[in-house]
């Protein structure tokens, strides 16, 4: 019924209510073909998509159904990797590129969104997914504690370079920007790079906003994303100076970020075209060199009041309003870098990394 009913909201919702606990308990309870059909009905074919004002309950139930099954997929993937037993001994590189980037971040975003929807009485499902939500929360909280202990044990060795460290934001210029710039300089007589410096943006917020950059920069080459650790677990000017200067800054390092960037890149022979900031972002005509764009987005950094998954729509809408026209104006010859000075932000309890 869920795979074929396209008129009755009540019938479809009742079918989803019956299916959900079965699908959570056994991923093979519904064939992949049938599940694709159910998702297609919910996303495109049901009348609710043409007249959402008449089907508000079904719209919310459909979102809850698909997000819950996606959460179950991530929980199963976490267990399949054996991370419940081996997470404590995983190297920092595995944490950054696999544990957080591929598994815990999407799991956390889904948990936040589902918790917000369920708390608002999203549907007649009630707490059919309560056990799954509890299990996911336990995984997330345990992982946060283990990651905090890992950083505590190794932080001094990382910043003192006593052992090969993970990539930290202080490495952005030398390891990411300058190698790319040299390639640009060799290939073009008029090289241009735009650095989007997000203030306080965490990895989960980046994942939320990343589709916007893909949407607005279709003329540019495919994006490559790499997690980095913030120098400090907050987003103060010290972190910004570490990125801009490409070194561990002294307490006296301060000033306009554009001036600091010019100071750092002058010995490298890299011209700085200027610096712009939200909400007044603009692309100078005929720009050559590096343009620094300081970006602050609602519900990120110091403005954060809610978990990212619950504030997703506001984050995306605000980023589109603040960044959309500017991204559209960036010439296709430019290489765009996005980097954040953010670390962890405390929202409703324990800090989320």
């Amino acid at each position: 019924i869920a795979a074929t009913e396209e008129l009755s909201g009540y019938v479809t919702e009742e079918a989803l209510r019956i299916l959900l606990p079965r699908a959570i308990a056994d991923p093979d309870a519904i064939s992949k073909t049938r599940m694709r059909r159910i998702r297609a009905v919910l996303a495109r074919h049901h009348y609710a998509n043409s007249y959402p004002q008449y089907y508000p309950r079904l719209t919310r139930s459909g979102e809850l159904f698909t997000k819950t099954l996606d959460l179950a997929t991530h929980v199963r993937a976490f267990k399949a990797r054996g991370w419940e037993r081996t997470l404590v001994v995983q190297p920092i590189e595995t944490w950054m590129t696999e544990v957080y980037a591929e598994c815990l971040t999407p799991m956390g975003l889904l948990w936040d969104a589902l918790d917000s929807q369920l708390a608002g009485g999203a549907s007649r499902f009630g707490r059919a997914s309560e056990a799954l939500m509890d299990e996911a929360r336990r995984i997330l909280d345990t992982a946060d504690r283990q990651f905090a202990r890992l950083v505590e044990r190794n932080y001094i060795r990382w910043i003192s370079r006593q052992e090969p460290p993970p990539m930290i934001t202080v490495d952005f210029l030398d390891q990411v920007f300058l190698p790319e710039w040299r390639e640009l300089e060799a290939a073009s007589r008029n090289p241009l790079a735009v650095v989007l410096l997000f203030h306080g943006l965490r990895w989960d917020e980046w994942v939320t906003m990343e589709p916007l950059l893909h949407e607005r920069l279709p003329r540019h080459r495919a994006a490559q994303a790499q997690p980095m650790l913030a120098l400090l677990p907050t987003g103060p000017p010290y972190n910004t100076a570490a990125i801009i200067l490409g070194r561990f800054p002294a307490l006296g390092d301060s000033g306009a970020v554009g001036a600091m960037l010019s100071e750092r890149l002058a010995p490298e022979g890299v011209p700085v075209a200027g610096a712009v900031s939200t909400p007044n972002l603009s692309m100078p005509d005929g720009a050559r060199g590096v343009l620094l764009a300081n970006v602050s987005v609602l519900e990120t950094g110091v403005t954060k009041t809610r978990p990212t998954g619950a504030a997703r729509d506001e984050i995306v809408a605000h980023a589109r309003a603040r960044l959309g026209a500017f991204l559209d104006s960036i010439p296709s010859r430019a290489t765009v870098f996005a980097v954040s000075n953010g670390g962890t932000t405390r929202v409703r309890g324990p800090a989320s990394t």
Side-chain angles (χ1 to χ4, degrees):
I1 293 173
T4 57
E5 177 60 48
E6 298 179 0
L7 293 176
S8 171
Y10 176 84
V11 171
T12 300
E13 187 182 12
E14 184 66 13
L16 297 179
R17 185 187 66 79
I18 295 171
L19 282 175
L20 185 61
R22 299 180 186 176
I24 292 174
D26 180 6
D28 298 321
I30 307 173
S31 70
K32 292 181 179 179
T33 301
R34 185 63 59 83
M35 184 56 68
R36 283 195 296 269
R37 176 59 183 164
I38 293 173
R39 288 177 182 262
V41 167
L42 295 174
R44 295 188 300 275
H45 303 315
H46 201 282
Y47 265 42
N49 294 288
S50 299
Y51 305 99
Q53 66 272 30
Y54 300 125
Y55 295 88
R57 285 171 57 111
L58 177 59
T59 300
R60 293 192 296 267
S61 295
E63 291 178 2
L64 183 62
F65 179 82
T66 55
K67 287 177 182 177
T68 300
L69 294 188
D70 290 342
L71 180 64
T73 297
H74 286 295
V75 169
R76 283 194 294 269
F78 183 88
K79 293 180 174 180
R81 301 289 290 270
W83 283 335
E84 282 191 302
R85 300 182 305 277
T86 66
L87 203 56
V88 69
V89 297
Q90 295 297 331
I92 184 62
E93 292 79 11
T94 300
W95 273 94
M96 293 167 64
T97 60
E98 298 179 35
V99 178
Y100 266 111
E102 296 179 7
C103 189
L104 294 183
T105 293
M107 188 190 302
L109 289 171
L110 285 166
W111 193 96
D112 290 341
L114 284 167
D115 186 60
S116 177
Q117 286 181 288
L118 289 169
S123 75
R124 296 189 304 112
F125 289 1
R127 284 284 175 172
S129 57
E130 184 173 353
L132 174 66
M133 292 284 288
D134 289 345
E135 185 174 21
R137 186 71 265 164
R138 176 185 58 78
I139 289 173
L140 292 166
D141 290 344
T142 301
D144 266 354
R145 290 192 295 271
Q146 291 177 340
F147 183 75
R149 287 195 289 268
L150 176 66
V151 173
E152 185 178 11
R153 287 196 308 269
N154 295 284
Y155 181 73
I156 299 300
R157 291 200 296 271
W158 291 340
I159 63 173
S160 62
R161 308 310 206 198
Q162 294 177 16
E163 62 181 56
M167 184 172 286
I168 304 175
T169 47
V170 74
D171 301 316
F172 168 72
L173 284 181
D174 288 335
Q175 294 190 28
V176 179
F177 176 79
L178 284 173
E180 288 281 350
W181 176 261
R182 299 304 178 209
E183 291 186 17
L184 277 175
E185 207 171 29
S188 171
R189 291 182 298 178
N190 193 29
L192 175 63
V194 177
V195 178
L196 304 174
L197 176 56
F198 288 92
H199 290 269
L201 196 74
R202 308 182 316 186
W203 183 257
D204 58 341
E205 295 160 353
W206 163 251
V207 169
T208 299
M209 288 176 47
E210 188 177 15
L212 173 63
L213 271 72
H214 290 294
E215 169 193 322
R216 295 291 186 164
L217 298 171
R219 308 178 310 282
H220 297 253
R221 69 182 186 183
Q224 297 174 328
Q226 181 171 358
M228 293 190 295
L229 291 181
L231 186 57
L232 292 175
T234 55
Y238 191 85
N239 274 353
T240 302
I243 295 173
I244 298 301
L245 296 174
R247 60 176 169 80
F248 297 97
L251 292 177
D253 286 323
S254 61
V257 291
M260 286 196 295
L261 186 62
S262 296
E263 171 193 333
R264 169 63 180 87
L265 294 181
E268 304 286 347
V270 180
V272 175
V276 293
S277 302
T278 50
N280 301 312
L281 295 175
S282 62
M283 190 73 209
D285 293 334
R288 180 185 185 277
V290 183
L291 178 70
L292 178 67
N294 293 287
V295 182
S296 297
V297 178
L298 187 72
E299 285 294 348
T300 64
V302 296
T303 68
K304 194 169 192 65
T305 62
R306 290 187 293 158
T308 304
R312 178 189 178 280
D313 292 343
E314 289 86 346
I315 292 172
V316 172
H318 192 255
R320 179 173 283 110
R322 284 207 160 191
L323 278 172
F326 176 69
L327 295 177
D328 291 342
S329 70
I330 297 176
S332 59
R333 63 186 173 87
T335 294
V336 181
F337 300 84
V339 64
S340 170
N341 66 1
T344 59
T345 303
R346 187 173 294 277
V347 179
R348 292 186 183 176
S352 299
T353 303

